[in-house]
Amino acid sequence: MKLLIVEDDKRLAAMISRGMSSEGYSCSIAENVASGLAAATDVDLIILDRMLPGGDGVELCRQLRAKGNRVPIIMLTALADVDERIDGLRAGADDYLGKPFDFEELLARVEALVRRAAPQVESPNLQCGDLSINTEEHTAQLRGVDVPLTALEFDLLKLLARHPNRFWSRERIMSRVWPSTAEPETNVVDVYISRLRRKLSAAGATSIIETRRGVGYRLLSPVND
């Protein structure tokens, strides 16, 4: 997926680019309205700053929509006024995020817009080496041996298995697996990861889930202990 970051703050643009690149996105950067307009022809999503030299993001958004460009746009702004956000949305932006923002929230919004723009029919069967998961039947097996899981344990394993070898931070796991009403306890993800490890180990696998300090957790694939 190709992302265009239209942002004149070079440090912020570089931070967003590094973070998105680490998640598998291909990123390019434009610093003003003219270069943003020129670069917006072959991208899957635009992260657009509200205030730009030589114009502003709202005008760039309007120009893109007037040209028939329907690429999803997330607008960033340091302006807290409700009318400013309304202007951006009415100009054609799909989402709005205030500065300063948490990168994990920006990433979650990007992923939501990507899913909305290109919905995919996913197979109910996930396979990671010898680990088999059926998302419709809510079952998991390791070399044919059932791994008994609670609903939350299953959802956690499913998330990791859909993206093998990819690290997930505690915050992203919480936002994807736990209900929005859940209390954000700092160690709840660690507890459930530990439970998963014990149950997978009981089924005959070890060293499946890797922890990297300060980064998060990932399911190693292929799972073939």
Side-chain angles (χ1 to χ4, degrees):
M1 300 292 291
K2 298 178 182 179
L3 303 186
L4 172 62
I5 302 162
V6 187
E7 170 63 67
D8 64 312
D9 183 330
K10 294 182 179 180
R11 293 182 63 183
L12 178 58
M15 181 276 287
I16 296 173
S17 180
R18 284 194 303 270
M20 291 298 173
S21 296
S22 71
E23 296 294 329
Y25 294 95
S26 174
C27 299
S28 57
I29 297 174
E31 297 182 0
N32 54 50
V33 171
S35 60
L37 191 61
T41 57
D42 185 29
V43 295
D44 298 296
L45 186 140
I46 298 174
I47 299 172
L48 175 60
D49 188 23
R50 172 67 172 79
M51 305 296 290
L52 293 167
D56 68 24
V58 169
E59 182 56 31
L60 174 55
C61 192
R62 285 198 184 101
Q63 291 186 46
L64 289 173
R65 297 311 188 218
K67 291 175 178 292
N69 190 324
R70 310 313 302 171
V71 63
I73 295 174
I74 297 177
M75 192 166 286
L76 306 178
T77 183
L79 302 174
D81 189 88
V82 172
D83 289 338
E84 296 289 346
R85 297 198 296 272
I86 292 172
D87 285 346
L89 294 171
R90 284 179 172 167
D94 298 275
D95 201 355
Y96 222 97
L97 186 60
K99 296 180 180 179
F101 57 85
D102 184 89
F103 176 77
E104 294 293 338
E105 182 178 3
L106 175 61
L107 179 60
R109 289 171 183 251
V110 167
E111 291 173 338
L113 281 180
V114 168
R115 288 195 302 270
R116 190 189 311 167
Q120 299 178 350
V121 178
E122 296 179 324
S123 169
N125 298 306
L126 299 175
Q127 192 73 36
C128 290
D130 294 327
L131 178 65
S132 303
I133 297 173
N134 187 295
T135 60
E136 290 183 348
E137 298 179 2
H138 282 244
T139 58
Q141 292 186 329
L142 186 70
R143 303 186 195 94
V145 177
D146 288 331
V147 182
L149 301 171
T150 66
L152 276 173
E153 290 167 353
F154 180 84
D155 287 343
L156 175 55
L157 181 61
K158 180 176 67 174
L159 174 67
L160 298 176
R162 282 204 189 281
H163 309 275
N165 299 315
R166 172 178 172 182
F167 279 104
W168 290 82
S169 68
R170 290 179 179 86
E171 293 79 12
R172 290 193 67 207
I173 290 174
M174 281 291 297
S175 68
R176 288 295 195 92
V177 175
W178 270 260
S180 59
T181 55
E183 291 294 326
E185 298 177 32
T186 55
N187 70 334
V188 66
V189 174
D190 301 17
V191 169
Y192 274 80
I193 289 289
S194 178
R195 290 181 183 178
L196 269 184
R197 282 195 176 113
R198 286 199 302 270
K199 292 186 176 183
L200 290 168
S201 178
T206 58
S207 304
I208 288 180
I209 300 175
E210 179 184 354
T211 302
R212 182 169 296 179
R213 191 181 203 83
V215 178
Y217 305 97
R218 68 175 176 176
L219 182 70
L220 298 174
S221 180
V223 177
N224 54 12
D225 291 57

